[in-house]
Amino acid sequence: MNIQTYLGKITRKEKNHFWIFVSVLAVLSVFLCYRYSVEGCITPGHDAIFQYNRFYTIYESIINNNFPNYIDFSNPNQYGYATNLFYPDLIFSIFAFTGRFIGVFYAYQLMLFSMTFLCGIFTFISAKKLTDSKIAGYITAILYTFCFYRIVSMFERSSIAEALTFTFVPLLVWGLYEIIKGDYKKWYIFTIACSLFALTHMLSTVLAASIVILILIIYIKSFIKEPKRIVYLAVSGISTVLLSAYFLFPLLEQLQNDTFNINILENEDFIRLSLQDIVSGMFLLSTMSINTYKFLPSIGATLTFAVFLRFFIKTNSEKIKNIDAIVIISAILLFICSDILPNELYPNYFFAKIQFLWRYFEFISFGLALGGGYYISLMIQREKKTIALFITYLFMIVMMISINSTKFIQYTNLQIYTPFGRNKPVGTQDNNYCLGLGDKLEYLPVPVTLSSIEKRGNVLKKRKEKTIITNIQRKRETTIFDIKLSEKDNIELPLTYYKGYTATINNANIEVTKSKNGFVEIPVNQSGKVTVEFTGTFLQKYSIYITLVSSILLSIYVIIQNRKTYK
């Protein structure tokens, strides 16, 4: 029995298709993570040290029983940086918890593998629903999960939180379809997708929201024809806010209370790719060269060739027209990401915060993968062609992963990327305390900068010369010291000011304010023992319960709704 006959026997049985798909997905997921692994180290990349530091900080808060923890108290220079007040941490937290049992390093690796595998599963479920074809679902899942830009985001950029949201894009599109054209009583799919976005990466949520608004405008006739869809869209939006409460409410509270460097990003430039780079990137399996390093986010050949098959399909059914519309919208977005249009068409207030327009490739890639998967499924008419196309695309994906990962590791060996070990990265001035790039870190309150922290030093500052401060003790979120006064004084502490700090002197509460320099300041009117601690605001402490209760209620609703459907 030759290999073609053997494969033919397997593929003829439809019940085998799903398990073949799951097996291929699992093997490719392992292969991808393995190829980009560096022995004994976290896979390096642009943002790797920042992301792993976040993950490790969350892990520490779990083992120290002070989760949720909004502030990394060890950086910069023990001043504290509220990464998790501005950077949602749901997925990181889930996998950081497993670190208690398997170690934080392996928990991080498990997260990369699991979210890759789930990306394929969710894409299959969503694409099958959108195309009414299991075969299209299988193909779309492989195309999207292992598309070029997702691999670049996860490993070369190491923008892990952003890369994790790829897993939820298929659910977002499926949920939006149900609200616009499908069964609007399944509004909860859209809610779940939006909530997962909001609890994983805020910037990706903003990108997703802009695309959702565009699609809602395009399909506004559906809401005019059936006004009930507007009601379910509103219900979905309100439910998303409640499900995202444990991150969203503390974030809004903090932004309302103060001004941060992230608020002034609209004065910065944003980056678009040249049309030449976008077009050339559509036909590549690799953008890396060992001789000259060039970072080029791309759509990649696997998606482009799949979409080009549309020119060989003659049918014009209603279904293919809907898929064509998604591909066309994706192509228009790809064009908008180029530099061919004038800057005046791009509001700086919005796009400067996005920073890189090619971040839209996450959504464009799904639209093209969905179209490509459906077109390939229509092209498959004979068993031989099925096997040939399947093997061809698997070969392209394996080659793309192999070529890029090989050159990626070569860059690591040449120290273009610097690997670091399994333990928590040590924050220093040289690596910006593992908190990102630039002096004006995004989540520092104005006017604080890294240079101002370094210049100030790790000291408590007083205004009155005769004030004596002794017995200073600092442990994570708590600072304790003794003070002796000859007259009232104001003490500025080496702590970055965020709303949530409390202070006492001799167990009596005193006010905590922001100094003119952006640090924690307290008024002291008596001698004694002072304790300053980040205890959190009411919203920081209790918003998580809104999320938990909302999740339970939504789960009950989904169960009841599904029981009604299948009766």
Side-chain angles (χ1 to χ4, degrees):
M1 183 184 294
N2 60 38
I3 186 66
Q4 186 169 301
T5 305
Y6 178 71
L7 289 174
K9 279 193 170 184
I10 296 176
T11 55
R12 269 196 295 269
K13 296 181 181 179
E14 187 175 334
K15 66 179 181 179
N16 291 331
H17 291 174
F18 178 74
W19 296 112
I20 293 171
F21 160 70
V22 169
S23 300
V24 170
L25 177 63
V27 169
L28 284 176
S29 298
V30 170
F31 179 69
L32 175 67
C33 294
Y34 169 74
R35 287 292 303 178
Y36 277 92
S37 63
V38 179
E39 186 176 355
C41 299
I42 294 298
T43 303
H46 298 178
D47 293 342
I49 196 167
F50 169 71
Q51 297 293 346
Y52 189 60
N53 183 66
R54 276 190 64 219
F55 189 85
Y56 210 110
T57 300
I58 294 168
Y59 165 74
E60 286 181 328
S61 73
I62 292 171
I63 62 175
N64 290 324
N65 298 315
N66 65 336
F67 178 86
N69 177 39
Y70 292 103
I71 295 183
D72 177 0
F73 293 102
S74 60
N75 292 309
N77 199 22
Q78 293 186 299
Y79 272 65
Y81 189 64
T83 306
N84 291 331
L85 266 172
F86 296 87
Y87 224 116
D89 61 2
L90 175 66
I91 305 301
F92 272 34
S93 300
I94 291 171
F95 286 95
F97 181 79
T98 68
R100 298 184 70 127
F101 311 102
I102 63 175
V104 63
F105 174 79
Y106 291 109
Y108 190 78
Q109 303 300 329
L110 178 64
M111 178 177 68
L112 301 184
F113 165 78
S114 299
M115 295 305 289
T116 297
F117 184 79
L118 285 175
C119 182
I121 297 296
F122 289 166
T123 303
F124 163 69
I125 295 170
S126 303
K128 182 183 72 171
K129 176 63 181 178
L130 293 167
T131 62
D132 292 325
S133 168
K134 286 185 179 180
I135 297 297
Y138 298 139
I139 298 169
T140 301
I142 298 298
L143 286 176
Y144 183 60
T145 303
F146 303 100
C147 70
F148 189 88
Y149 181 64
R150 184 179 179 278
I151 294 172
V152 166
S153 292
M154 182 166 279
F155 296 105
E156 189 177 349
R157 287 186 65 214
S158 288
S159 181
I160 304 300
E162 187 173 343
L164 296 182
T165 62
F166 277 74
T167 304
F168 313 128
V169 171
L171 297 179
L172 183 78
V173 177
W174 175 20
L176 191 57
Y177 165 79
E178 296 291 5
I179 288 177
I180 294 174
K181 287 199 167 188
D183 182 1
Y184 48 72
K185 291 183 179 179
K186 293 183 177 178
W187 55 270
Y188 52 83
I189 297 170
F190 185 62
T191 294
I192 292 169
C194 291
S195 301
L196 288 170
F197 259 95
L199 294 173
T200 304
H201 190 248
M202 203 59 205
L203 196 53
S204 294
T205 306
V206 173
L207 293 171
S210 66
I211 291 176
V212 167
I213 291 170
L214 173 65
I215 293 174
L216 290 176
I217 292 171
I218 292 172
Y219 289 97
I220 194 168
K221 287 184 179 179
S222 294
F223 295 98
I224 295 173
K225 186 177 180 181
E226 295 182 84
K228 271 190 177 181
R229 294 188 182 275
I230 300 175
V231 175
Y232 283 96
L233 178 64
V235 169
S236 180
I238 294 169
S239 300
T240 297
V241 171
L242 295 175
L243 285 169
S244 310
Y246 104 81
F247 167 72
L248 197 59
F249 289 0
L251 169 68
L252 295 175
E253 177 188 39
Q254 206 71 217
L255 290 174
Q256 187 275 331
N257 181 69
D258 205 350
T259 302
F260 298 86
N261 289 329
I262 195 172
N263 296 119
I264 57 175
L265 278 177
E266 60 263 27
N267 299 322
E268 304 293 330
D269 293 329
F270 56 90
I271 297 173
R272 294 185 285 168
L273 292 175
S274 69
L275 185 60
Q276 180 182 350
D277 280 344
I278 286 179
V279 173
S280 64
M282 292 171 63
F283 299 94
L284 297 175
L285 288 177
S286 173
T287 59
M288 292 188 177
S289 168
I290 195 59
N291 297 318
T292 55
Y293 173 72
K294 181 180 181 181
F295 172 67
L296 181 62
S298 305
I299 293 299
T302 55
L303 297 183
T304 304
F305 293 156
V307 170
F308 276 6
L309 292 176
R310 179 65 179 91
F311 295 107
F312 301 96
I313 299 171
K314 295 182 180 179
T315 181
N316 282 305
S317 65
E318 187 64 26
K319 178 61 65 177
I320 200 170
K321 287 180 180 178
N322 289 334
I323 299 298
D324 287 345
I326 293 174
V327 172
I328 290 169
I329 292 171
S330 301
I332 292 172
L333 282 173
L334 186 61
F335 177 76
I336 290 173
C337 290
S338 74
D339 63 355
I340 197 167
L341 297 175
N343 269 343
E344 289 74 22
L345 296 178
Y346 299 82
N348 213 67
Y349 175 80
F350 178 75
F351 288 102
K353 291 182 178 179
I354 291 175
Q355 299 172 316
F356 315 111
L357 263 66
W358 38 259
R359 280 183 155 136
Y360 278 109
F361 285 10
E362 173 180 354
F363 306 92
I364 295 168
S365 294
F366 178 76
L368 298 179
L370 182 66
Y374 188 62
Y375 300 151
I376 291 175
S377 72
L378 294 180
M379 291 287 291
I380 295 173
Q381 296 175 357
R382 299 192 308 273
E383 185 179 289
K384 290 182 180 179
K385 186 177 288 187
T386 302
I387 296 171
L389 280 172
F390 181 76
I391 292 175
T392 299
Y393 261 91
L394 278 184
F395 177 76
M396 288 177 66
I397 289 169
V398 169
M399 285 298 295
M400 178 176 67
I401 294 171
S402 299
I403 294 170
N404 282 280
S405 60
T406 298
K407 293 181 177 178
F408 181 87
I409 300 303
Q410 288 175 331
Y411 288 141
T412 300
N413 294 336
L414 291 173
Q415 295 189 339
I416 293 176
Y417 295 120
T418 304
F420 51 93
R422 302 181 180 192
N423 297 324
K424 186 175 183 179
V426 178
T428 65
Q429 191 173 6
D430 291 337
N431 62 20
N432 254 33
Y433 298 96
C434 312
L435 300 176
L437 301 174
D439 191 37
K440 293 183 178 180
L441 292 176
E442 294 173 316
Y443 313 134
L444 287 174
V446 175
V448 180
T449 62
L450 284 182
S451 56
S452 70
I453 288 173
E454 286 292 332
K455 183 178 180 181
R456 184 188 182 283
N458 209 330
V459 297
L460 281 71
K461 289 190 174 182
K462 57 189 181 181
R463 294 186 184 178
K464 308 299 181 182
E465 186 177 344
K466 293 183 179 180
T467 297
I468 300 173
I469 298 173
T470 58
N471 300 326
I472 301 170
Q473 303 172 50
R474 301 191 67 186
K475 184 179 179 182
R476 293 180 59 80
E477 68 272 16
T478 306
T479 300
I480 301 173
F481 59 91
D482 293 328
I483 190 166
K484 185 176 181 181
L485 300 178
S486 59
E487 57 181 315
K488 293 180 181 180
D489 202 352
N490 283 65
I491 307 299
E492 183 188 76
L493 287 84
L495 295 169
T496 311
Y497 176 81
Y498 297 102
K499 189 172 184 179
Y501 275 100
T502 57
T504 62
I505 182 165
N506 300 325
N507 296 319
N509 292 330
I510 53 178
E511 184 183 11
V512 177
T513 60
K514 177 183 176 182
S515 73
K516 65 179 182 179
N517 301 313
F519 304 112
V520 169
E521 187 172 73
I522 55 173
V524 184
N525 56 16
Q526 61 178 294
S527 299
K529 183 176 288 294
V530 177
T531 300
V532 179
E533 186 176 12
F534 189 86
T535 56
T537 66
F538 179 85
L539 288 177
Q540 289 167 8
K541 293 176 183 176
Y542 299 108
S543 291
I544 191 169
Y545 296 106
I546 299 175
T547 294
L548 290 173
V549 171
S550 301
S551 300
I552 292 169
L553 293 176
L554 181 64
S555 299
I556 293 170
Y557 174 83
V558 172
I559 291 169
I560 294 172
Q561 194 68 25
N562 285 337
R563 282 182 177 176
K564 288 180 181 179
T565 302
Y566 292 111
K567 274 186 178 181

